[in-house]
Amino acid sequence: MNAVDAYFAVRQREGRVHDDAVVRGLPFSGDRTAHPAEWRIRARGLRRVVGMLNDRPRNILEIGCGNGWFSARLAEVRHSVTGLDTGIAELAQAERVFSGLPIRWVAGDPWSSGLGEGAYDVVLFAASLQYFPDLPALFTRCRELLTVHGEVIIADSPLYTDAGSAATASERSRSYYASVGVPDMAAHYHHHSLKAIQNACPDTNFHYQPPRSRPVALVRGRYPFPIVRIRW
């Protein structure tokens, strides 16, 4: 099973495929889904990213935009946004639901032609970095897409303290995807450590906001993920 089909099959089994009315209001309509606590966390991540970018409008490329809700919220606060994804069905929903916003939707991956090299102030990964296996190649491409003073922002993704923790998480995911009947998804979900990101981005200005310990953050509804900013 290819990555797109496996991903969509898992989302269906987990109750993460939403109708247009719910998608239109995300993350704040998350209480109408099967995972309200997760959407409260995603709302906190959105607020953090918006706060980081509130000094001026930016030209933003969101890689792995899915159904487009994060791109839409950024466009609403005056950023110029391109939403990129390989999932045709989710992109079609994004274009339909958020047709009133000035967002460019692109089907493809970061290496697709027509994105515009040197065009973006920000390349954003919001809950999507884990779908890319080759971090050095990915960040090399991000640098090509960014303006001279542009940056990469990573949010809403689990990032591990070391390679051992990432390997343990990989085994958990393998068992989980087998339990929901989509074992092929394990080959398309990659567990990255902060050190691996740093190693993939030598000679960069690397900052991250560490979360509180993840169990405490999840129990109390706090934001459990680090947010990473990378500037060349």
Side-chain angles (χ1 to χ4, degrees):
M1 187 180 293
N2 65 38
V4 173
D5 290 343
Y7 173 79
F8 192 73
V10 169
R11 288 179 66 84
Q12 285 183 309
R13 285 163 171 75
E14 293 176 334
R16 301 180 193 276
V17 177
H18 308 301
D19 63 33
D20 288 2
V22 169
V23 169
R24 187 173 292 111
L26 290 174
F28 310 110
S29 58
D31 58 348
R32 294 157 55 192
T33 74
H35 306 280
E38 290 184 16
W39 283 110
R40 287 192 289 273
I41 289 170
R42 296 299 304 273
R44 289 180 172 86
L46 172 67
R47 285 193 288 270
R48 287 192 175 200
V49 171
V50 169
M52 292 161 63
L53 302 175
N54 67 358
D55 57 331
R56 60 182 174 85
R58 313 290 181 97
N59 191 14
I60 300 172
L61 171 65
E62 185 189 359
I63 294 179
C65 67
N67 59 31
W69 71 267
F70 207 118
S71 288
R73 302 292 86 86
L74 293 174
E76 287 173 342
V77 290
R78 299 186 305 117
H79 297 296
S80 175
V81 184
T82 298
L84 175 74
D85 206 283
T86 55
I88 301 300
E90 284 198 304
L91 272 180
Q93 185 179 38
E95 189 167 12
R96 180 175 66 247
V97 171
F98 301 114
S99 60
L101 293 172
I103 303 171
R104 178 188 176 209
W105 305 106
V106 178
D109 62 32
W111 291 268
S112 298
S113 61
L115 283 177
E117 295 192 2
Y120 303 98
D121 302 305
V122 176
V123 171
L124 171 68
F125 296 89
S128 60
L129 188 73
Q130 58 267 31
Y131 301 110
F132 294 92
D134 189 338
L135 293 183
L138 179 64
F139 291 130
T140 295
R141 180 55 176 160
C142 287
R143 188 174 185 181
E144 294 171 349
L145 294 168
L146 287 167
T147 61
V148 174
H149 300 294
E151 64 180 342
V152 170
I153 295 178
I154 302 165
D156 291 4
S157 288
L159 301 174
Y160 301 90
T161 54
D162 52 53
S165 298
T168 299
S170 181
E171 288 304 311
R172 288 198 302 268
S173 291
R174 192 179 308 277
S175 297
Y176 172 72
Y177 289 128
S179 75
V180 297
V182 193
D184 291 352
M185 187 62 208
H188 307 297
Y189 192 99
H190 309 281
H191 299 76
H192 300 302
S193 68
L194 285 165
K195 186 64 174 178
I197 295 174
Q198 288 179 294
N199 289 342
C201 303
D203 303 318
T204 61
N205 190 354
F206 182 94
H207 294 281
Y208 78 98
Q209 300 175 10
R212 297 177 66 89
S213 63
R214 195 161 190 261
V216 172
L218 288 173
V219 167
R220 297 181 181 176
R222 294 174 180 166
Y223 189 66
F225 304 114
I227 291 185
V228 175
R229 303 182 81 165
I230 304 167
R231 298 187 181 105
W232 282 265

